[in-house]
Amino acid sequence: MGVLMSRRQTVEKVQKVSLAVSAFKDGLKEQPSTRRRAEGGGSRRGTLEQEVQEGEEEASAGPSQPDETSASKAAWERLRDGRGVEPEEFDRANRFTPPAFIRPKRELHDDEPLDISLEQREQVLNDEMCEICEVWTAESLFPCRICTRVYHDGCLRRMGYLQNDSTVEVTETAHTETGWSCYYCDNLNLLLTEEEMYSLMETLHQCKIIPETCLTLDDFLHYKHLVHKQQFEKPMAEAQEEQATLQFSALDPDKKGHIEWHDFLSHESIQLLLKLRPQNALLRLLTAKERERARATFLALDQDNDGFIGEGECHQAQHTWFRKHQKETPSCNVSISHVGPMSESSPASSASGKSQEKTPLAKEKEEPRTVDWPAFLRENVAYILAARPNSAALHLQPQA
């Protein structure tokens, strides 16, 4: 009897195992990935052991991952929303809530030609009330040199956009010809649409660029090599690497050995605009103040008032949009040297006698080609936009 009972139990066990195996096979059909893992393991037991081992590894790595993931996610969200760096230790007590940035949208007519008259000057009037608190106090308002917005220094401080070390700089430059860019115009990344921003974020993610971190020369060149290979499917040439090295130096004016995140982001934003948008669309991004400054620059270069300037003078003007931190900026109605100071790397700079000797020869070679007002705007629009940030860095290195 005992033997019969043991056989019956054996049969029942076999039946149960058969049912379990058939159910297991049905489950494998519904989950191909699980089947592949089972076949790789060679047995049901091996698969379970693998799952347990993987679970133990995830559990052991679990405590350190959430903080890193949440911090990285927050950084990517700030990058997407254009809010900039917001460290956790930043004290926002008694501060105003920062505005919600709305990225622009492309219009159907953006790529159509835009007529900007040279003779018809534009009268630009700044807003009367503070952009933040909407209160009028005439003498204490700081105007933006790009748009018509004005601000109180106290409101900028409460917003967290004006720290103690930058208060004096804003006070000294806001009412001069050099001027000061507000937090809207200072951030070139806000010129990108949502689609363009996601494209940039995807590129940064693929190249393993961590948001809100500084980049060394090796990091910058490695990134440029990867982007170039993705775009053209071939390695970067030696001349292009040298140009990238010059761009790094232009983004690091203080020779710190690294470039700040906001300078790198501004550079990449203007590069993406050049890649994705035609010049007509870029011209629509210019403000009335920028158009007026461009008119003053062209008229100062057009000494004989025939509506044309030399190609060399057009290239020379590209260097005048930078170096925005000069306490005494002369009027822009006399000559090209007064439109804006030239960068030290500019071939038109008077830093050395050699550059002064080479300039006339360069002009002689470039005399055959002349540039009119529309061509001048098209060839300089990218440099005008790139000069918006308050940073001393050159976010778009002019060609030599």
Side-chain angles (χ1 to χ4, degrees):
M1 187 68 178
V3 174
L4 291 176
M5 289 296 294
S6 62
R7 288 180 178 177
R8 185 183 300 173
Q9 290 174 354
T10 302
V11 171
E12 291 175 353
K13 286 182 180 179
V14 170
Q15 291 175 347
K16 290 180 180 180
V17 170
S18 300
L19 292 174
V21 170
S22 61
F24 178 67
K25 289 182 178 180
D26 293 336
L28 289 180
K29 292 179 181 179
E30 297 176 358
Q31 299 180 359
S33 61
T34 307
R35 185 199 301 177
R36 286 194 295 268
R37 273 201 308 186
E39 292 174 354
S43 66
R44 172 64 177 164
R45 181 181 177 185
T47 304
L48 291 174
E49 290 177 353
Q50 289 176 2
E51 292 176 352
V52 172
Q53 184 177 0
E54 291 173 359
E56 291 176 351
E57 292 177 355
E58 292 176 358
S60 61
S64 60
Q65 286 182 349
D67 294 339
E68 297 176 358
T69 303
S70 60
S72 177
K73 182 180 179 181
W76 284 109
E77 288 178 351
R78 287 192 292 270
L79 175 61
R80 178 197 63 200
D81 299 336
R83 290 178 295 174
V85 181
E86 295 180 5
E88 295 180 358
E89 63 272 12
F90 187 74
D91 183 15
R92 288 196 173 274
N94 300 322
R95 295 185 184 275
F96 293 150
T97 303
F101 295 114
I102 300 177
R103 292 195 173 275
K105 294 183 179 180
R106 294 291 306 278
E107 302 293 340
L108 294 177
H109 65 278
D110 280 355
D111 299 345
E112 298 177 0
L114 181 65
D115 183 21
I116 301 177
S117 174
L118 175 62
E119 293 77 16
Q120 186 177 356
R121 307 296 294 269
E122 300 178 63
Q123 186 178 4
V124 184
L125 298 177
N126 290 324
D127 298 343
E128 295 183 351
M129 295 186 297
C130 174
E131 176 69 17
I132 299 174
C133 68
E134 299 183 350
V135 174
W136 179 82
T137 49
E139 295 183 356
S140 61
L141 289 173
F142 293 96
C144 175
R145 65 187 177 88
I146 306 299
C147 64
T148 60
R149 300 183 185 94
V150 293
Y151 300 85
H152 293 123
D153 59 342
C155 293
L156 291 172
R157 257 190 238 99
R158 293 186 186 95
M159 291 283 287
Y161 292 115
L162 192 62
Q163 305 298 329
N164 294 330
D165 55 350
S166 59
T167 304
V168 176
E169 180 182 350
V170 172
T171 304
E172 292 180 349
T173 59
H175 294 284
T176 65
E177 188 70 26
T178 301
W180 161 82
S181 296
C182 69
Y183 52 84
Y184 285 105
C185 301
D186 181 66
N187 190 353
L188 294 179
N189 187 250
L190 294 180
L191 296 175
L192 303 183
T193 63
E194 289 187 4
E195 294 80 8
E196 292 167 341
M197 188 61 232
Y198 278 115
S199 173
L200 178 58
M201 291 175 62
E202 181 66 20
T203 301
L204 297 176
H205 184 73
Q206 290 177 356
C207 297
K208 298 182 179 180
I209 297 294
I210 303 175
E212 303 176 3
T213 58
C214 299
L215 278 76
T216 63
L217 177 59
D218 291 339
D219 297 332
F220 187 75
L221 291 179
H222 181 67
Y223 169 79
K224 287 294 184 181
H225 275 282
L226 291 177
V227 172
H228 186 275
K229 193 169 184 179
Q230 288 179 359
Q231 184 175 356
F232 301 102
E233 297 183 352
K234 63 179 181 179
M236 183 185 291
E238 184 177 352
Q240 294 169 321
E241 183 174 341
E242 292 178 357
Q243 185 65 29
T245 304
L246 291 175
Q247 180 63 71
F248 180 87
S249 300
L251 292 171
D252 181 25
D254 297 330
K255 309 303 178 187
K256 298 178 181 178
H258 65 267
I259 54 178
E260 302 293 336
W261 168 252
H262 57 85
D263 289 325
F264 171 75
L265 186 59
S266 294
H267 166 70
E268 288 303 308
S269 298
I270 198 70
Q271 290 283 12
L272 188 62
L273 287 174
L274 289 173
K275 176 183 175 182
L276 299 180
R277 299 197 198 182
Q279 289 178 327
N280 289 327
L282 295 179
L283 286 173
R284 297 182 185 277
L285 298 177
L286 296 179
T287 64
K289 289 184 178 181
E290 290 173 320
R291 292 193 295 267
E292 275 299 292
R293 186 181 176 189
R295 287 189 183 92
T297 304
F298 186 86
L299 292 173
L301 290 168
D302 185 16
Q303 298 292 335
D304 52 4
N305 298 323
D306 64 347
F308 293 91
I309 62 173
E311 184 180 12
E313 293 174 319
C314 182
H315 290 166
Q316 183 181 354
Q318 295 173 359
H319 298 268
T320 69
W321 299 104
F322 301 104
R323 267 193 56 197
K324 301 166 283 290
H325 301 277
Q326 188 179 15
K327 295 182 179 179
E328 297 180 4
T329 305
S331 172
C332 60
N333 297 324
V334 182
S335 67
I336 182 61
S337 60
H338 293 151
V339 176
M342 301 188 184
S343 64
E344 296 177 359
S345 60
S346 167
S349 174
S350 58
S352 64
K354 294 182 180 180
S355 61
Q356 291 179 343
E357 295 173 0
K358 293 182 179 180
T359 301
L361 297 176
K363 286 185 178 181
E364 290 177 3
K365 294 180 180 180
E366 295 168 347
E367 278 180 356
R369 177 178 179 261
T370 56
V371 179
D372 60 4
W373 165 244
F376 174 81
L377 269 184
R378 290 194 303 269
E379 294 181 20
N380 284 277
V381 59
Y383 299 97
I384 298 174
L385 294 173
R388 286 185 177 186
N390 293 306
S391 169
L394 305 187
H395 299 100
L396 186 62
Q397 174 73 9
Q399 297 179 358

